[in-house]
Amino acid sequence: MGSVIKGVQTTISQNLGGVAQKLAPADQQFSLEHVPDQTGKVAVVTGGSEGIGYGSSHTLLSKNISKLFIISLSREIVDGAKKSIADELGQEKADRIHWIQCDLTDWKRVTEAAKEISDSSDRLDILINNAGRGIMSYKLTDYGVEEHMALNLIGHATLTSHLMPLLKKTAEKGDKVRIVNLASNAHMSAPKDTKFESLDELNTDLGAMGQYGRSKLADLLYARYLARHLTPSHPNILANAVHPGIVKTRQSEELIHEPFPVAGYAMSTGMSPFKKSVFEGCVSSMFAATTTEKSGQYICPPAAIEPGSDLAQDEALGEQMMKLASEIVQQKTNNVKDGCPMKFY
């Protein structure tokens, strides 16, 4: 009975807002108050102007991050975020934000965005791969690749690859560098027969939840891939994946009705009283981005280390996934020399 109660407490503390996080065991406790001072550091947050990404951006700025690059699509949304930060933290903090407009499904534009960052900063301490296509219907990008995988995995892997020289340069100074991938417990919804063997497999319509779950599995596998290939040779670079919990965002309030016009109300309305705020939702991201000393972890809120599904622990699957991603980028961009096609680390 004790283990059942503990399991229920863990589920509640990892997923729900309010006092729920206080149910976590003492060794898994973490809050935004525990985020250390970030003076002198530089961060990149994709999707950092709304939702969980805004929570991360706001927190880093409140902890005195020296420069913050936000990669996103909408000028209107980022202007609103900057105004809120100016109102709450002061104009000087808002002025530390450098916005780069970029569609992460456009891998050539991602390459340009990474260059803009590298050309305007001599260091990069934190990379939070936060942006993503949520639980939405099947759609192909202009490259002819299913959009969840094209954005959530391949867009971020391309960005990370092109920022790697700057990340390594920072780590070589003796500073810890942390890469954070936004995964989700929804990775358990990925089909059990996922193999990442071909583009045809990626482009199979799995339904909104299946596609989202597979892309979140991919984000988790990618963090562990980086931990295997990168951390041993560059021990100051840590790569981890996180689960945010159930958070009140535009995805869970509005966009969920795109694939589920009626059933989506269970999430948008039914779960509303229990959802986390964006600040509660970024707690695991902040632990991974500022505090953990380990690599290859799957961190659930507040700071619980979990194994993930069997697929998430399959190293061979992660290797095959990144091999396929590399081949797709090379084929679709026709850019072997500059398009990070051979390695994603």
Side-chain angles (χ1 to χ4, degrees):
M1 179 65 72
S3 62
V4 172
I5 293 174
K6 184 177 179 180
V8 171
Q9 288 179 327
T10 297
T11 299
I12 292 172
S13 67
Q14 291 182 2
N15 290 287
L16 304 184
V19 298
Q21 293 193 46
K22 295 181 180 179
L23 296 174
D27 63 347
Q28 298 175 12
Q29 288 288 347
F30 184 79
S31 71
L32 299 186
E33 287 71 31
H34 296 138
V35 175
D37 181 73
Q38 299 297 301
T39 298
K41 295 186 177 183
V42 177
V44 171
V45 182
T46 68
S49 53
E50 65 176 320
I52 299 165
Y54 175 77
S56 294
S57 296
H58 187 286
T59 301
L60 290 171
L61 288 163
S62 75
K63 297 296 182 175
N64 210 35
I65 198 87
S66 293
K67 183 182 289 187
L68 174 65
F69 294 95
I70 290 178
I71 296 177
S72 64
L73 277 173
S74 170
R75 177 177 292 278
E76 181 181 0
I77 292 175
V78 82
D79 284 348
K82 290 177 75 171
K83 182 180 185 305
S84 295
I85 286 170
D87 291 344
E88 296 172 23
L89 301 178
Q91 187 62 49
E92 191 271 336
K93 291 290 178 66
D95 289 342
R96 298 184 188 189
I97 295 172
H98 299 260
W99 178 54
I100 297 178
Q101 188 173 36
C102 178
D103 178 352
L104 287 164
T105 68
D106 180 350
W107 305 324
K108 290 185 177 180
R109 173 61 191 137
V110 172
T111 301
E112 295 169 354
K115 187 176 187 305
E116 289 176 35
I117 294 169
S118 299
D119 287 347
S120 56
S121 180
D122 62 356
R123 66 183 300 121
L124 179 56
D125 303 86
I126 297 169
L127 170 59
I128 304 180
N129 292 320
N130 168 87
R133 182 171 175 81
I135 303 171
M136 299 183 73
S137 298
Y138 179 82
K139 180 182 178 184
L140 295 179
T141 68
D142 290 344
Y143 287 125
V145 180
E146 194 278 317
E147 189 163 319
H148 289 85
M149 290 297 295
L151 194 165
N152 298 2
L153 173 68
I154 302 177
H156 281 121
T158 302
L159 177 69
T160 303
S161 176
H162 282 290
L163 289 173
M164 195 56 66
L166 187 57
L167 293 164
K168 288 180 177 179
K169 177 183 175 182
T170 307
E172 286 164 1
K173 297 175 182 176
D175 298 311
K176 278 287 186 289
V177 169
R178 295 178 173 92
I179 301 169
V180 184
N181 290 349
L182 265 287
S184 167
N185 277 352
H187 79 272
M188 298 179 185
S189 299
K192 302 303 181 188
D193 62 349
T194 297
K195 295 182 173 62
F196 296 117
E197 285 185 339
S198 68
L199 179 57
D200 285 344
E201 179 189 338
L202 295 193
N203 285 349
T204 300
D205 188 348
L206 303 174
M209 196 65 206
Q211 284 146 199
Y212 177 71
R214 180 178 60 183
S215 73
K216 295 292 104 177
L217 169 66
D219 291 334
L220 207 170
L221 287 171
Y222 178 46
R224 288 176 168 166
Y225 175 92
L226 286 171
R228 288 194 305 276
H229 288 274
L230 183 62
T231 306
S233 58
H234 296 80
N236 280 336
I237 303 181
L238 310 177
N240 294 290
V242 301
H243 166 62
I246 302 172
V247 185
K248 188 172 185 178
T249 63
R250 187 159 59 99
Q251 167 61 43
S252 69
E253 296 284 293
E254 301 173 18
L255 299 181
I256 190 66
H257 293 286
E258 184 270 331
F260 304 116
V262 177
Y265 283 103
M267 172 60 74
S268 64
T269 303
M271 286 299 297
S272 190
F274 310 103
K275 290 177 186 175
K276 298 181 179 185
S277 70
V278 297
F279 296 104
E280 292 171 323
C282 77
V283 167
S284 56
S285 293
M286 287 296 94
F287 177 77
T290 69
T291 302
T292 188
E293 296 291 329
K294 301 290 183 62
S295 194
Q297 295 177 322
Y298 178 46
I299 301 167
C300 295
I305 312 306
E306 300 286 356
S309 68
D310 289 344
L311 288 177
Q313 300 173 65
D314 188 334
E315 293 185 5
L317 183 64
E319 296 295 321
Q320 173 57 34
M321 177 188 76
M322 295 311 297
K323 177 177 179 291
L324 176 62
S326 176
E327 292 169 352
I328 290 171
V329 171
Q330 181 174 333
Q331 175 189 1
K332 297 295 184 179
T333 63
N334 295 314
N335 193 342
V336 177
K337 182 179 179 182
D338 301 318
C340 65
M342 304 313 294
K343 283 188 177 181
F344 275 123
Y345 58 90

